[in-house]
Amino acid sequence: MNQDLQKIDRFEVTRILGKGAQSVVYLAYDPKLQREVAIKTLHFTKQKDQQNEIQALIQESRTVSKMRHPNLVPIFEAGEYEGDPYLVFEYVEGKTLSDLLREKGALSANEAIGIIAPVLDAVAHAHQNGIIHRDLKPSNILISPEGIPRVMDFGIAERISDKPGEHDDVLIGTPAYMAPEYIDGRIISEKNDIFAAGLILYEMVVGHKAVQGSNIYQIMHRIASEPIELPPSGEISIDEKLGDIILKALAKNPLDRYASAEEMGDALHSFMLAGEETAPPSAESKQSTLDFLLRRMRHRGDFPALSESVSSINRVVSSDRESINKLSNSILKDFALTNKILRLVNTAFYSTYGGGTISTISRAVIILGFDAVRNIAVTLILFEHMQNKAHATHLKEEFIQTLFSGLIAKDIAKGASKDIKDPEEAFICSMFHNLGRLLAMFYFQEEAESINRVMAQKECNEDIASAQVLGISYQDLGIGIAKTWGFPEQIVHSMRKLPPDSIPRPKTAMDRLRIITSFSNELCAIVAHTPSEDRLKSIKKLSGRYGDSMPIQEKQLQQTLEKALDEITQFAGTVRLGVRESRIGKQAANWTGHTHQVEVAGASEHAAEGTELTEAEAQMQDTVAITATEGVTLAQGKLPEGMGNKPDAGNAQAILTAGIQDISNSLVDGCSLNDLLRMILETMYRSMDFQRVLLCIKDAKQNAMVGRFGFGEDINQIVKTFKFPLSYTPDVFHAALSKGVDILISDINEPKIKDRIPDWYRKTITAQTFVLFPLNIKNVPVALIYADKEAAGGINMPENELSLLRTLRNQALLAIKQTL
Ligand code: ADP
Ligand code: MG
C-alpha cells in the first residue's frame, strides 16, 4: 500500500478503518459534502494483474446501490483515482460484531436477537432484490454506537440464479461461515445466508464459533459432514426454543432450514414475545419489537416502496441547486405522484402564492418554495399508499381527520408567531403526528382492533393499550418509523404527546410547533367524535388546558375550522377522498354552520343538527362531483386536457404545450437561467417519457462539453462522467454540434452508425437510443441537450412533438442569450 496516500480524489484520507482480504477501507473526509465517509479501495498495489478484483469491486458498487435498508451500509458513490477504482460508503461509527464478541464474549439471548433479527431483515431485503450476500460473518456486520447492526461487504455477493445449481469453480468466501452444500457441491442460494446467520447467532449466544478446527480444511470438513450441536447445558444455558431455532438454521440439508430470512426472523421474534409476557419490556426489546413490526409491514406489498419514496425525499435536505434537482428527480420518477402534485399546486389552495398554471415540478419549487413541494410530496405519497388500502370506512375517516388537523395547524401557524418560519412545517408535523396509529390501522388491523377493545374495557389511554397489545406504544412506533424514514427532528419532536394537564408556554420554536401540532390533532378528535351537546364543553376544556401557550383565541377557532373545511375540499379533490361523506366532514360542516347560527342568532347549542346542506357541504359536493369525473379538472386549478395520464401520443403534446407556455411566462418574468433550464429539461423528460434527459454546457477552459444536470435514471452519477472534448472527431456528437442539427440515433449498434458512437459514451451509458439537440449561437456550440431511452427503437417523435421539442430547445437558447 502507498504509505503517503493522503487523498483519493477529493477525499482526504484520515486513517485506515479496516483491511479485508483484498481491500483496505479508509476513513476519509469529503470536503464537498462536509462529512466523513468510508472508502473501500483495492490495496493500491500495481504488482499483479488486478482485473478480477477490479471487476469485483465495481460489481459490489452496483449490487449495493440497488438496495436501501436501514440495516445495510449504503454506498454514496464509486470512482476511479489514478487508475484504481474505489467505493465510497456511509461511514458507520462503532465496531464490527467480531470486535464486540471479542470484547464481551457471549451475549444474552435478547442482545443476540437484537442484532441478528435486523441483520436477517437486511438479508431478506437483499434476497428480495435478487442478491445473495454469501459472506455473512461477524466482521462484516458493523454495530453502531446505538447498537444498530449494519450489514456490509457485498464483495462476493451473487445474483439469485434462475438456473439452480449454479456454482463456482473455486471456493470463494470464509470457510468458517460456508454452508455444507456450498462446500460439497458449490451450490449457491439464499439458504447459504440463512446458514451463516445461524452460525452467527450460535456464536453470539455461545461465545465461540460453532465449528472450529486447526485449519480451514478441517473446519470445512466438519461443516460438511459433522452435525452441529449446542454445547451441553452444564457449560452454558441456552433456552431450548432458541436452541431449536439455531439448529433449524444450521440444518445440513438446505430444505430443512427456514424457507426464508423473514421466516427465521419471525421465529426469533415469536420467541422474544413469548418471553416478554413474564418480563417487562426493556429498551432493547422495544427496539426489537419495533424491528419486528417494521419487518411485518415490509411483508405487506407496498410498504417497502412507501418507505423508499418517503426516505428518498427526506434525504434531500437543503434547498440549494443540487438538492432541487434531486428533489425533482425523486418526484419525477413517480409519474402519478408528479401529476397529483401538479394538480394540487394548481388548486386555489395554493393560489395564494400567486401560481397561475404550474406545469413542472421545477416551477412549483420556484413558486411555492422547496419545503412546500417537499411536504406536499411526502404527504401525497402517504395518502396514495394508504388510500389504496383504505377499503374500510373507518380508515378513510382516520385519514381525512389527519389531513384536517394538518390544515388547521397550518392556519394557526400562519397567524402565529414569526418564529415558525413556515406554516408548511406545522402542516407536515401535524399530518405525521399520529403516524404510529395510522400505520398500525393499515398494517395491523387486528391488533388495532384489540387496542380499541382494551381501551374500552380498561378505560385506559391509547398509548397504554397499544403498548400492551403491540409491545410498543403507537407513539413509539410512529417515532421509530419516522426516524427510519429520515424525518427531520422537528417532526419527530412533534410526535411526542404533551402532558395531560396544563401546558407550559413554549420556549423554543420546536416546542411551539409541537404545541400547535398537538392542539390541532386534539381539536380534530373533538370535532370528529364529540356529540354536539358536549362540544362547547370539550372545546372550553381544550382551550383552558392550552391557555396562552396557544397562539389562538377560542373565538378564532371557528374561523380556522371553516377555513380548513374549505381547504380540505381542495386538497381532497386531488387525492379523491370523500370528505363530504366522512364523519369529520359532516361534523365540521355542521359545527361551523352551527356556531355561525349561535353567533348570529344566539340560538341554543341544541338546535337541530343540520339536515340541510350547509354552504360548505354544498361546495364540497361540487368538488367531489367534478373530481369523480377523472379528476383532471378541479374547481379552480386546471391542468391542460390529458395531462393527468401517462404520456402517449395525445398527452405528450399536452405536456409539451403546457410546459412551453409556462416557460414563456417565466422568460418574461425574468426567472434565473438555471430555473428556466430545469423547467425545459423537465418538460422534455416528462412529455416523451425519456429514460433520462441531460444538459451539457461548453466549458471554455477545458474546451469540452460537460454534463451539468438532468433528470432520470442514475442521473447524478452520469452527469459526472458525461463529458467530451470539443476538438473535432468524426462522431455523432460533433456532427450535431458542428452543423447545428438535431440527431436521433435509433440504435447505437446499427452497422452504419456504430463506429460513430464514441467510446466515452459507451462507457458512460448503456442506452441504445438517444436524441441530441444542439444549442448553437452564431454557429458556435454553447450547450447540448441529450435525451435517451434504453432499448433501441424506443424513441418515436411524430412531427408535432418534434417541433414542440425544438421550441423548447429554442427557449433554452433564448434563455442563455438573455444572460449573455
Ligand atoms: P473486505 O471485502 O475486504 O472484507 P469489508 O467491506 O468487509 O472489506 O471492510 C473491511 C473492514 O473495514 C471492516 O471489517 C470494517 O472494520 C471496516 N469498514 C468497512 N466499511 C466500513 C464503513 N462503512 N464504516 C466503518 N468501517 C468500515
Ligand atoms: Mg469483509
Side-chain angles (χ1 to χ4, degrees), residues 5 49 53 167 203 321 349 364 453 469 494 527 529 555 559 624 630 669 682 692 709 712 723 782:
L5 184 72
D49 180 25
E53 286 82 356
H167 51 256
E203 193 170 335
R321 186 167 300 146
F349 181 31
R453 275 198 299 277
V469 174
S494 297
V527 172
H529 299 285
K555 46 183 186 301
Q559 227 179 348
V624 173
E630 223 349 81
D669 291 351
E682 186 188 325
R692 57 180 84 81
F709 75 92
K723 176 173 156 181
V782 291

PDB file of all heavy atoms in Angstrom, residues 5 49 53 167 203 321 349 364 453 469 494 527 529 555 559 624 630 669 682 692 709 712 723 782:
ATOM      1  N   LEU A   5      -0.334   7.908   0.993  1.00  0.00           N
ATOM      2  CA  LEU A   5      -1.664   8.198   0.481  1.00  0.00           C
ATOM      3  C   LEU A   5      -2.413   9.164   1.387  1.00  0.00           C
ATOM      4  O   LEU A   5      -2.691   8.891   2.538  1.00  0.00           O
ATOM      5  CB  LEU A   5      -2.448   6.884   0.383  1.00  0.00           C
ATOM      6  CG  LEU A   5      -3.833   7.015  -0.217  1.00  0.00           C
ATOM      7  CD1 LEU A   5      -3.745   7.281  -1.699  1.00  0.00           C
ATOM      8  CD2 LEU A   5      -4.621   5.762   0.066  1.00  0.00           C
ATOM      9  N   ASP A  49      -1.774  -8.467 -11.888  1.00  0.00           N
ATOM     10  CA  ASP A  49      -2.953  -8.126 -12.655  1.00  0.00           C
ATOM     11  C   ASP A  49      -4.186  -8.179 -11.748  1.00  0.00           C
ATOM     12  O   ASP A  49      -4.489  -9.189 -11.151  1.00  0.00           O
ATOM     13  CB  ASP A  49      -3.101  -9.131 -13.792  1.00  0.00           C
ATOM     14  CG  ASP A  49      -4.329  -8.806 -14.615  1.00  0.00           C
ATOM     15  OD1 ASP A  49      -4.725  -7.632 -14.610  1.00  0.00           O
ATOM     16  OD2 ASP A  49      -4.893  -9.722 -15.220  1.00  0.00           O
ATOM     17  N   GLU A  53     -10.184  -8.444  -9.307  1.00  0.00           N
ATOM     18  CA  GLU A  53     -10.538  -7.664  -8.115  1.00  0.00           C
ATOM     19  C   GLU A  53     -11.254  -6.381  -8.525  1.00  0.00           C
ATOM     20  O   GLU A  53     -12.216  -5.967  -7.883  1.00  0.00           O
ATOM     21  CB  GLU A  53      -9.289  -7.306  -7.296  1.00  0.00           C
ATOM     22  CG  GLU A  53      -8.698  -8.472  -6.513  1.00  0.00           C
ATOM     23  CD  GLU A  53      -7.817  -9.368  -7.352  1.00  0.00           C
ATOM     24  OE1 GLU A  53      -7.715  -9.145  -8.579  1.00  0.00           O
ATOM     25  OE2 GLU A  53      -7.244 -10.315  -6.784  1.00  0.00           O
ATOM     26  N   HIS A 167     -22.811 -22.848  -9.950  1.00  0.00           N
ATOM     27  CA  HIS A 167     -21.750 -22.934  -8.944  1.00  0.00           C
ATOM     28  C   HIS A 167     -20.429 -22.315  -9.373  1.00  0.00           C
ATOM     29  O   HIS A 167     -20.168 -22.073 -10.537  1.00  0.00           O
ATOM     30  CB  HIS A 167     -21.541 -24.375  -8.484  1.00  0.00           C
ATOM     31  CG  HIS A 167     -21.358 -25.340  -9.601  1.00  0.00           C
ATOM     32  ND1 HIS A 167     -22.354 -26.188  -9.996  1.00  0.00           N
ATOM     33  CD2 HIS A 167     -20.304 -25.585 -10.387  1.00  0.00           C
ATOM     34  CE1 HIS A 167     -21.907 -26.917 -11.001  1.00  0.00           C
ATOM     35  NE2 HIS A 167     -20.678 -26.566 -11.259  1.00  0.00           N
ATOM     36  N   GLU A 203     -22.743 -18.235  17.534  1.00  0.00           N
ATOM     37  CA  GLU A 203     -21.515 -17.638  18.067  1.00  0.00           C
ATOM     38  C   GLU A 203     -21.832 -16.562  19.111  1.00  0.00           C
ATOM     39  O   GLU A 203     -21.148 -16.436  20.118  1.00  0.00           O
ATOM     40  CB  GLU A 203     -20.737 -17.031  16.895  1.00  0.00           C
ATOM     41  CG  GLU A 203     -19.308 -16.655  17.219  1.00  0.00           C
ATOM     42  CD  GLU A 203     -18.525 -16.294  15.948  1.00  0.00           C
ATOM     43  OE1 GLU A 203     -18.894 -16.778  14.847  1.00  0.00           O
ATOM     44  OE2 GLU A 203     -17.555 -15.531  16.071  1.00  0.00           O
ATOM     45  N   ARG A 321     -29.091  24.323  -5.212  1.00  0.00           N
ATOM     46  CA  ARG A 321     -29.449  23.937  -6.573  1.00  0.00           C
ATOM     47  C   ARG A 321     -29.418  22.417  -6.754  1.00  0.00           C
ATOM     48  O   ARG A 321     -30.310  21.825  -7.331  1.00  0.00           O
ATOM     49  CB  ARG A 321     -28.472  24.605  -7.531  1.00  0.00           C
ATOM     50  CG  ARG A 321     -28.827  24.405  -8.960  1.00  0.00           C
ATOM     51  CD  ARG A 321     -28.030  25.326  -9.831  1.00  0.00           C
ATOM     52  NE  ARG A 321     -28.272  26.718  -9.494  1.00  0.00           N
ATOM     53  CZ  ARG A 321     -27.343  27.667  -9.576  1.00  0.00           C
ATOM     54  NH1 ARG A 321     -26.126  27.368  -9.957  1.00  0.00           N
ATOM     55  NH2 ARG A 321     -27.634  28.907  -9.265  1.00  0.00           N
ATOM     56  N   PHE A 349     -56.120  26.238  -3.256  1.00  0.00           N
ATOM     57  CA  PHE A 349     -55.414  26.022  -2.010  1.00  0.00           C
ATOM     58  C   PHE A 349     -54.034  26.681  -2.019  1.00  0.00           C
ATOM     59  O   PHE A 349     -53.563  27.223  -1.055  1.00  0.00           O
ATOM     60  CB  PHE A 349     -55.316  24.504  -1.811  1.00  0.00           C
ATOM     61  CG  PHE A 349     -54.644  24.085  -0.558  1.00  0.00           C
ATOM     62  CD1 PHE A 349     -54.712  24.855   0.593  1.00  0.00           C
ATOM     63  CD2 PHE A 349     -53.951  22.888  -0.525  1.00  0.00           C
ATOM     64  CE1 PHE A 349     -54.097  24.436   1.762  1.00  0.00           C
ATOM     65  CE2 PHE A 349     -53.327  22.477   0.639  1.00  0.00           C
ATOM     66  CZ  PHE A 349     -53.408  23.260   1.784  1.00  0.00           C
ATOM     67  N   ALA A 364     -42.942  24.623  -9.735  1.00  0.00           N
ATOM     68  CA  ALA A 364     -43.631  24.572  -8.445  1.00  0.00           C
ATOM     69  C   ALA A 364     -42.645  24.910  -7.334  1.00  0.00           C
ATOM     70  O   ALA A 364     -42.978  25.645  -6.396  1.00  0.00           O
ATOM     71  CB  ALA A 364     -44.223  23.179  -8.224  1.00  0.00           C
ATOM     72  N   ARG A 453     -60.426  -2.322  21.825  1.00  0.00           N
ATOM     73  CA  ARG A 453     -61.161  -3.071  22.849  1.00  0.00           C
ATOM     74  C   ARG A 453     -60.545  -2.857  24.230  1.00  0.00           C
ATOM     75  O   ARG A 453     -61.244  -2.598  25.204  1.00  0.00           O
ATOM     76  CB  ARG A 453     -61.169  -4.566  22.507  1.00  0.00           C
ATOM     77  CG  ARG A 453     -62.295  -4.947  21.553  1.00  0.00           C
ATOM     78  CD  ARG A 453     -62.533  -6.453  21.585  1.00  0.00           C
ATOM     79  NE  ARG A 453     -61.346  -7.205  21.174  1.00  0.00           N
ATOM     80  CZ  ARG A 453     -61.011  -7.442  19.907  1.00  0.00           C
ATOM     81  NH1 ARG A 453     -61.776  -6.990  18.933  1.00  0.00           N
ATOM     82  NH2 ARG A 453     -59.943  -8.119  19.595  1.00  0.00           N
ATOM     83  N   VAL A 469     -50.750  -4.267  23.663  1.00  0.00           N
ATOM     84  CA  VAL A 469     -51.054  -5.193  22.569  1.00  0.00           C
ATOM     85  C   VAL A 469     -49.867  -5.369  21.612  1.00  0.00           C
ATOM     86  O   VAL A 469     -49.527  -6.485  21.226  1.00  0.00           O
ATOM     87  CB  VAL A 469     -52.289  -4.705  21.789  1.00  0.00           C
ATOM     88  CG1 VAL A 469     -52.529  -5.581  20.565  1.00  0.00           C
ATOM     89  CG2 VAL A 469     -53.507  -4.713  22.696  1.00  0.00           C
ATOM     90  N   SER A 494     -42.459  16.679  17.400  1.00  0.00           N
ATOM     91  CA  SER A 494     -43.895  16.978  17.448  1.00  0.00           C
ATOM     92  C   SER A 494     -44.751  15.744  17.643  1.00  0.00           C
ATOM     93  O   SER A 494     -45.951  15.844  17.884  1.00  0.00           O
ATOM     94  CB  SER A 494     -44.349  17.651  16.151  1.00  0.00           C
ATOM     95  OG  SER A 494     -43.700  18.860  16.008  1.00  0.00           O
ATOM     96  N   VAL A 527     -63.762  17.462  17.246  1.00  0.00           N
ATOM     97  CA  VAL A 527     -64.732  17.737  16.192  1.00  0.00           C
ATOM     98  C   VAL A 527     -65.320  16.438  15.658  1.00  0.00           C
ATOM     99  O   VAL A 527     -66.521  16.321  15.419  1.00  0.00           O
ATOM    100  CB  VAL A 527     -64.078  18.539  15.047  1.00  0.00           C
ATOM    101  CG1 VAL A 527     -65.032  18.664  13.867  1.00  0.00           C
ATOM    102  CG2 VAL A 527     -63.656  19.909  15.538  1.00  0.00           C
ATOM    103  N   HIS A 529     -65.410  13.341  17.108  1.00  0.00           N
ATOM    104  CA  HIS A 529     -66.004  12.334  17.985  1.00  0.00           C
ATOM    105  C   HIS A 529     -66.978  12.839  19.035  1.00  0.00           C
ATOM    106  O   HIS A 529     -67.672  12.048  19.643  1.00  0.00           O
ATOM    107  CB  HIS A 529     -64.895  11.552  18.696  1.00  0.00           C
ATOM    108  CG  HIS A 529     -63.994  10.834  17.738  1.00  0.00           C
ATOM    109  ND1 HIS A 529     -64.374   9.693  17.085  1.00  0.00           N
ATOM    110  CD2 HIS A 529     -62.743  11.117  17.304  1.00  0.00           C
ATOM    111  CE1 HIS A 529     -63.388   9.287  16.297  1.00  0.00           C
ATOM    112  NE2 HIS A 529     -62.388  10.143  16.408  1.00  0.00           N
ATOM    113  N   LYS A 555     -62.329  32.175  20.264  1.00  0.00           N
ATOM    114  CA  LYS A 555     -63.316  32.614  19.277  1.00  0.00           C
ATOM    115  C   LYS A 555     -62.782  32.575  17.840  1.00  0.00           C
ATOM    116  O   LYS A 555     -63.555  32.603  16.896  1.00  0.00           O
ATOM    117  CB  LYS A 555     -63.883  34.006  19.623  1.00  0.00           C
ATOM    118  CG  LYS A 555     -62.898  35.057  20.017  1.00  0.00           C
ATOM    119  CD  LYS A 555     -63.670  36.340  20.385  1.00  0.00           C
ATOM    120  CE  LYS A 555     -62.777  37.524  20.667  1.00  0.00           C
ATOM    121  NZ  LYS A 555     -61.830  37.294  21.777  1.00  0.00           N
ATOM    122  N   GLN A 559     -63.427  30.155  12.932  1.00  0.00           N
ATOM    123  CA  GLN A 559     -62.970  30.669  11.652  1.00  0.00           C
ATOM    124  C   GLN A 559     -61.930  29.712  11.052  1.00  0.00           C
ATOM    125  O   GLN A 559     -61.965  29.387   9.871  1.00  0.00           O
ATOM    126  CB  GLN A 559     -62.291  32.008  11.910  1.00  0.00           C
ATOM    127  CG  GLN A 559     -62.722  33.087  10.976  1.00  0.00           C
ATOM    128  CD  GLN A 559     -61.989  34.377  11.338  1.00  0.00           C
ATOM    129  OE1 GLN A 559     -61.363  34.478  12.408  1.00  0.00           O
ATOM    130  NE2 GLN A 559     -62.045  35.334  10.468  1.00  0.00           N
ATOM    131  N   VAL A 624     -66.512  17.230  -5.236  1.00  0.00           N
ATOM    132  CA  VAL A 624     -66.499  15.784  -5.337  1.00  0.00           C
ATOM    133  C   VAL A 624     -67.046  15.342  -6.684  1.00  0.00           C
ATOM    134  O   VAL A 624     -66.509  14.474  -7.338  1.00  0.00           O
ATOM    135  CB  VAL A 624     -67.296  15.142  -4.184  1.00  0.00           C
ATOM    136  CG1 VAL A 624     -67.422  13.643  -4.396  1.00  0.00           C
ATOM    137  CG2 VAL A 624     -66.594  15.417  -2.872  1.00  0.00           C
ATOM    138  N   GLU A 630     -62.863  11.706 -13.328  1.00  0.00           N
ATOM    139  CA  GLU A 630     -61.458  11.529 -13.679  1.00  0.00           C
ATOM    140  C   GLU A 630     -60.517  12.563 -13.054  1.00  0.00           C
ATOM    141  O   GLU A 630     -59.322  12.471 -13.143  1.00  0.00           O
ATOM    142  CB  GLU A 630     -61.266  11.515 -15.201  1.00  0.00           C
ATOM    143  CG  GLU A 630     -60.322  10.452 -15.719  1.00  0.00           C
ATOM    144  CD  GLU A 630     -59.506   9.740 -14.641  1.00  0.00           C
ATOM    145  OE1 GLU A 630     -60.052   8.808 -14.006  1.00  0.00           O
ATOM    146  OE2 GLU A 630     -58.339  10.097 -14.418  1.00  0.00           O
ATOM    147  N   ASP A 669     -40.992  36.780 -16.934  1.00  0.00           N
ATOM    148  CA  ASP A 669     -40.836  37.146 -15.522  1.00  0.00           C
ATOM    149  C   ASP A 669     -39.387  37.320 -15.101  1.00  0.00           C
ATOM    150  O   ASP A 669     -39.109  37.727 -13.974  1.00  0.00           O
ATOM    151  CB  ASP A 669     -41.426  36.052 -14.613  1.00  0.00           C
ATOM    152  CG  ASP A 669     -42.931  36.002 -14.736  1.00  0.00           C
ATOM    153  OD1 ASP A 669     -43.485  36.914 -15.366  1.00  0.00           O
ATOM    154  OD2 ASP A 669     -43.526  35.049 -14.210  1.00  0.00           O
ATOM    155  N   GLU A 682     -37.141  19.329 -17.676  1.00  0.00           N
ATOM    156  CA  GLU A 682     -38.184  18.515 -17.034  1.00  0.00           C
ATOM    157  C   GLU A 682     -39.360  18.279 -17.987  1.00  0.00           C
ATOM    158  O   GLU A 682     -39.914  17.191 -18.067  1.00  0.00           O
ATOM    159  CB  GLU A 682     -38.668  19.204 -15.752  1.00  0.00           C
ATOM    160  CG  GLU A 682     -39.632  18.329 -14.976  1.00  0.00           C
ATOM    161  CD  GLU A 682     -40.286  19.055 -13.803  1.00  0.00           C
ATOM    162  OE1 GLU A 682     -39.630  19.895 -13.161  1.00  0.00           O
ATOM    163  OE2 GLU A 682     -41.463  18.761 -13.537  1.00  0.00           O
ATOM    164  N   ARG A 692     -33.797   9.286 -19.579  1.00  0.00           N
ATOM    165  CA  ARG A 692     -33.137  10.423 -18.943  1.00  0.00           C
ATOM    166  C   ARG A 692     -32.953  11.568 -19.935  1.00  0.00           C
ATOM    167  O   ARG A 692     -32.952  11.351 -21.148  1.00  0.00           O
ATOM    168  CB  ARG A 692     -31.801  10.032 -18.307  1.00  0.00           C
ATOM    169  CG  ARG A 692     -30.800   9.419 -19.204  1.00  0.00           C
ATOM    170  CD  ARG A 692     -29.515   9.080 -18.461  1.00  0.00           C
ATOM    171  NE  ARG A 692     -29.534   7.801 -17.771  1.00  0.00           N
ATOM    172  CZ  ARG A 692     -29.323   6.622 -18.357  1.00  0.00           C
ATOM    173  NH1 ARG A 692     -29.104   6.554 -19.651  1.00  0.00           N
ATOM    174  NH2 ARG A 692     -29.341   5.515 -17.659  1.00  0.00           N
ATOM    175  N   PHE A 709     -26.601  18.935 -15.430  1.00  0.00           N
ATOM    176  CA  PHE A 709     -27.643  18.334 -14.604  1.00  0.00           C
ATOM    177  C   PHE A 709     -28.646  17.666 -15.524  1.00  0.00           C
ATOM    178  O   PHE A 709     -28.551  17.790 -16.750  1.00  0.00           O
ATOM    179  CB  PHE A 709     -28.333  19.377 -13.725  1.00  0.00           C
ATOM    180  CG  PHE A 709     -29.283  20.254 -14.476  1.00  0.00           C
ATOM    181  CD1 PHE A 709     -30.618  19.916 -14.565  1.00  0.00           C
ATOM    182  CD2 PHE A 709     -28.834  21.400 -15.120  1.00  0.00           C
ATOM    183  CE1 PHE A 709     -31.499  20.709 -15.282  1.00  0.00           C
ATOM    184  CE2 PHE A 709     -29.709  22.192 -15.839  1.00  0.00           C
ATOM    185  CZ  PHE A 709     -31.054  21.840 -15.921  1.00  0.00           C
ATOM    186  N   GLY A 712     -33.752  11.708 -14.419  1.00  0.00           N
ATOM    187  CA  GLY A 712     -33.897  10.301 -14.805  1.00  0.00           C
ATOM    188  C   GLY A 712     -32.909   9.367 -14.145  1.00  0.00           C
ATOM    189  O   GLY A 712     -32.214   9.740 -13.208  1.00  0.00           O
ATOM    190  N   LYS A 723     -18.985  13.807 -20.593  1.00  0.00           N
ATOM    191  CA  LYS A 723     -18.069  14.897 -20.945  1.00  0.00           C
ATOM    192  C   LYS A 723     -17.297  14.500 -22.197  1.00  0.00           C
ATOM    193  O   LYS A 723     -16.851  13.362 -22.297  1.00  0.00           O
ATOM    194  CB  LYS A 723     -17.109  15.060 -19.757  1.00  0.00           C
ATOM    195  CG  LYS A 723     -16.019  16.071 -19.941  1.00  0.00           C
ATOM    196  CD  LYS A 723     -15.315  16.210 -18.617  1.00  0.00           C
ATOM    197  CE  LYS A 723     -13.905  16.709 -18.798  1.00  0.00           C
ATOM    198  NZ  LYS A 723     -13.202  16.817 -17.521  1.00  0.00           N
ATOM    199  N   VAL A 782     -22.847  26.134 -27.775  1.00  0.00           N
ATOM    200  CA  VAL A 782     -22.701  26.566 -26.382  1.00  0.00           C
ATOM    201  C   VAL A 782     -23.214  25.513 -25.411  1.00  0.00           C
ATOM    202  O   VAL A 782     -22.793  25.463 -24.260  1.00  0.00           O
ATOM    203  CB  VAL A 782     -23.442  27.891 -26.093  1.00  0.00           C
ATOM    204  CG1 VAL A 782     -22.758  29.038 -26.789  1.00  0.00           C
ATOM    205  CG2 VAL A 782     -24.900  27.797 -26.515  1.00  0.00           C
TER     206      VAL A 782
END
